[in-house]
Amino acid sequence: MVTVRLKPVEEIVKSLKPYRKVFVIGCQLGSGRCKNGGLREAFKVAGYLELHGFKISGVKSPGGTCILERLDSSDRSLIKEAESSSDAILSLACGAGTQLIAENVSIPVVTGVNTLFIGVERERKYFDEYCIACGECVISETGGICPVARCPKSLVNGPCGGAIAGKCEVDPSIPCIWYRIENRLRELCSLETLKKRVPLKDYRASVYPRRLVLED
Amino acid sequence: MEFREKLESGQFLITVEVAPPRGVSWEETISALKPLKGKVDAFNVTDCQRSMVRMSALSMAKLLLDSGYEPILQLTCRDRNRIALQSDLLGAWTLGIRNLCLMTGDFTTLGDQPDAKPVFDVDSVQLIEIAEKLNSGRLLNGKELNGKTSFLIGAVHNPFAGPEFLQTLKLKKKIEAGARFVQTQPVYELKIAEEVHSLISSLGAVPLIGLLPIKSLKMANFMKRLNPTSIPPSLIDGLERAKDPVLYGWEYTLDLARAVSEFGAGVHFMLVGKVRELADFIDELRNNRREGP
Ligand code: SF4
Ligand code: SF4
């Protein structure tokens, strides 16, 4: 999922300053799961905005904000409702969802979150970055553990000289992912797969903006 | 004789690290090396070591060359993509730089510009492959160059890093890719020096055992934080007891260097400072070796 972090409310207030009537949109996918931009947080922020003299014209979530049909369909259009009732929209969806709202309304859209990364969730508490969408996935060779996203140097030929006692040179509070990779491949009896030299990555696969088109 | 010839003829090698200045005055950096002229086999120029901005290693290497010192140019993957790396390598060759020491490099956030965007387009193994490719007269994309390079390529290895299996595997990949010598992180025990020496030579490269004199207990603890198993308790004890820890650390290192010279291919001193003393030591070492059995 895409994780986000709510911006400081003072910052949100500041960017909404020119407007009076604000519609707040949360997102129940990524933003909601990481408790930084779901409906709950949308209501909280709305309450705070009211205290600061804004008029809240609505607080809603379309579920998945990055899906156009959820925002705008023939029987129910969240963005039309927001657009017609407000001076501005505050979106707590990730950067993708917020842009999709913005390109379909004619009023200003302000974001209330910083979009962070593609990660996983554990115990409803920990969120770890697992993938940087490099477009050329190598994890079949590395025991299903990604060295591109989970090693700060994206090393694909093995660990750097800073990998000491299982800890990463860059941040000793995180593991050097190559220890995990080795353990996993030992379990799978396939350490052999790491013996060949990994060629340079083709970064064309990650040149943005990218597009995926489904065949009919 | 050039560094490469000495290496190929199996001479005992002594290299010293040189950090380019933080600024534009370089004369002092070079004049400080004077006592080592003709004694040290090559001067290894660091590339913004610890991710702190310094003068370009390439410029410093050229300045060394012009002053009569043979440089080894360090190049890291942290700040350059494959285009810049190839370009710098071609430039280095054209300026007369013949030796390289290629490595991944420290991460950006550890230095004094932690907000920089790190590159890491290629890793150390791939960078060695790139240099080898230039040596074969071609760019990475296979396009022919108008003349080939003939770099002597070196790499680095940290005997204290893990996991051991993968570190060894990576070392092997570096040597297979074209590294002819391998410089180690500072070592403080003979046993470890012997082990890493035999590992590197068994994989087909010339080992240069890294030596960094410890100047104080504080420095020992710092090194211990970087590589917990690198500093033996006896060294800590000695430093605690020593009246002059600087001298103690220095002599400790020289003893180790002497011991390595008995069996080893070479040492790499990661210091400048005590250049006079180092020069005297090198004289002593070379004389003893010549006189030895
Ligand atoms: S290799 Fe690339 S695509 Fe695969 S998990 Fe890692 S970052 Fe994502
Ligand atoms: S310590 Fe491990 S995870 Fe950290 S940068 Fe080095 S190889 Fe990558």
Side-chain angles (χ1 to χ4, degrees):
Chain A
M1 92 184 58
V2 177
T3 59
V4 304
R5 184 177 288 132
L6 198 61
K7 287 181 186 265
V9 268
E10 302 76 41
E11 195 182 321
I12 298 175
V13 167
K14 208 165 141 209
S15 39
L16 286 170
K17 203 138 216 184
Y19 317 112
R20 210 179 79 79
K21 280 186 283 177
V22 177
F23 196 99
V24 185
I25 297 183
C27 179
Q28 287 307 93
L29 289 187
S31 304
R33 286 306 301 186
C34 59
K35 297 186 180 156
N36 266 279
L39 255 189
R40 274 169 73 110
E41 294 75 37
F43 274 109
K44 247 195 231 158
V45 173
Y48 192 84
L49 291 176
E50 266 178 337
L51 285 176
H52 278 75
F54 292 96
K55 195 177 165 332
I56 300 300
S57 40
V59 180
K60 279 196 177 151
S61 165
T65 315
C66 55
I67 303 165
L68 186 57
E69 285 79 6
R70 294 277 177 87
L71 291 172
D72 187 25
S73 63
S74 45
D75 51 325
R76 180 175 173 271
S77 173
L78 178 66
I79 47 174
K80 291 227 171 66
E81 182 190 338
E83 188 177 23
S84 59
S85 61
S86 327
D87 303 332
I89 294 171
L90 173 69
S91 162
L92 304 185
C94 73
T98 302
Q99 289 186 58
L100 189 62
I101 298 171
E103 69 187 32
N104 285 288
V105 296
S106 53
I107 59 171
V109 177
V110 165
T111 179
V113 298
N114 294 317
T115 301
L116 301 178
F117 55 80
I118 307 175
V120 298
E121 174 197 314
R122 265 185 295 270
E123 301 170 38
R124 301 233 50 182
K125 187 172 171 191
Y126 303 104
F127 294 84
D128 292 310
E129 182 160 21
Y130 265 38
C131 175
I132 58 169
C134 76
E136 216 190 16
C137 200
V138 301
I139 61 176
S140 312
E141 311 279 296
T142 51
I145 299 170
C146 174
V148 178
R150 298 171 72 188
C151 158
K153 297 178 186 170
S154 292
L155 299 180
V156 286
N157 269 301
C160 76
I164 310 280
K167 303 283 183 269
C168 174
E169 165 197 296
V170 176
D171 176 359
S173 73
I174 61 168
C176 167
I177 205 61
W178 282 100
Y179 281 80
R180 298 246 167 117
I181 293 173
E182 177 177 322
N183 284 342
R184 179 69 179 147
L185 289 177
R186 259 185 212 292
E187 272 166 31
L188 301 173
C189 298
S190 60
L191 273 169
E192 293 296 309
T193 58
L194 294 180
K195 286 206 168 139
K196 51 182 189 290
R197 274 186 262 153
V198 181
L200 281 78
K201 200 173 247 312
D202 184 351
Y203 276 103
R204 274 172 302 191
S206 61
V207 173
Y208 39 73
R210 289 173 271 185
R211 161 171 278 185
L212 169 72
V213 183
L214 301 183
E215 313 263 320
D216 288 327
Chain B
M1 219 196 255
E2 287 196 341
F3 183 64
R4 175 197 283 267
E5 293 174 77
K6 290 179 188 164
L7 182 133
E8 283 171 355
S9 62
Q11 277 193 31
F12 186 75
L13 302 166
I14 300 176
T15 60
V16 166
E17 205 147 281
V18 179
R22 275 165 90 75
V24 292
S25 313
W26 52 272
E27 296 85 350
E28 231 178 89
T29 311
I30 296 217
S31 61
L33 301 175
K34 217 166 188 174
L36 300 175
K37 204 171 202 168
K39 299 187 196 292
V40 164
D41 300 308
F43 294 79
N44 197 310
V45 191
T46 56
D47 175 16
C48 297
Q49 193 178 10
R50 311 229 118 248
S51 306
M52 313 260 265
V53 178
R54 285 174 181 269
M55 181 201 283
S56 142
L58 180 50
S59 309
M60 191 68 209
K62 170 65 171 156
L63 291 168
L64 280 166
L65 200 59
D66 290 349
S67 315
Y69 299 91
E70 185 170 355
I72 299 173
L73 174 70
Q74 285 194 6
L75 204 60
T76 70
C77 304
R78 175 192 56 230
D79 310 316
R80 301 167 187 84
N81 67 8
R82 62 194 81 181
I83 300 173
L85 288 166
Q86 291 177 91
S87 163
D88 279 357
L89 286 172
L90 293 176
W93 177 261
T94 311
L95 292 177
I97 291 151
R98 300 293 177 252
N99 315 306
L100 303 172
C101 185
L102 305 175
M103 61 193 82
T104 307
D106 296 319
F107 199 71
T108 45
T109 52
L110 304 176
D112 60 355
Q113 318 266 328
D115 44 355
K117 180 171 182 172
V119 181
F120 300 106
D121 176 27
V122 313
D123 67 22
S124 49
V125 176
Q126 296 162 344
L127 180 52
I128 293 166
E129 287 172 340
I130 288 176
E132 263 295 311
K133 196 103 194 216
L134 301 182
N135 279 352
S136 76
R138 289 184 188 277
L139 288 173
L140 187 57
N141 62 10
K143 294 235 169 80
E144 210 164 319
L145 296 165
N146 68 356
K148 43 169 108 171
T149 65
S150 183
F151 286 117
L152 174 72
I153 305 170
V156 292
H157 176 69
N158 182 1
F160 308 104
E164 201 186 325
F165 174 84
L166 294 184
Q167 291 288 351
T168 306
L169 199 63
K170 192 161 182 191
L171 176 64
K172 198 163 170 226
K173 287 185 188 181
K174 289 179 182 181
I175 296 170
E176 281 168 1
R180 304 286 310 282
F181 66 94
V182 175
Q183 206 173 276
T184 76
Q185 283 291 306
V187 165
Y188 294 94
E189 276 174 289
L190 187 58
K191 194 172 122 304
I192 297 190
E194 283 167 347
E195 280 168 13
V196 68
H197 188 279
S198 80
L199 172 66
I200 294 168
S201 8
S202 73
L203 294 174
V206 174
L208 299 179
I209 301 300
L211 298 172
L212 174 60
I214 297 269
K215 293 183 185 158
S216 62
L217 212 52
K218 197 173 145 209
M219 181 177 167
N221 287 324
F222 175 75
M223 298 296 295
K224 233 180 141 167
R225 265 207 307 284
L226 292 181
N227 283 337
T229 50
S230 66
I231 309 283
S234 62
L235 174 55
I236 301 271
D237 271 7
L239 282 165
E240 266 167 353
R241 260 187 252 130
K243 276 204 202 76
D244 183 349
V246 178
L247 188 66
Y248 178 85
W250 176 252
E251 284 175 348
Y252 188 98
T253 302
L254 297 190
D255 282 347
L256 191 54
R258 252 180 233 113
V260 172
S261 77
E262 301 282 316
F263 63 86
V267 286
H268 170 62
F269 281 91
M270 297 160 153
L271 87 162
V272 266
K274 280 185 169 275
V275 278
R276 223 331 87 246
E277 291 87 335
L278 182 59
D280 292 343
F281 170 74
I282 294 172
D283 284 339
E284 175 218 304
L285 199 66
R286 292 238 148 99
N287 287 333
N288 286 346
R289 280 177 69 83
R290 231 167 276 136
E291 287 157 14

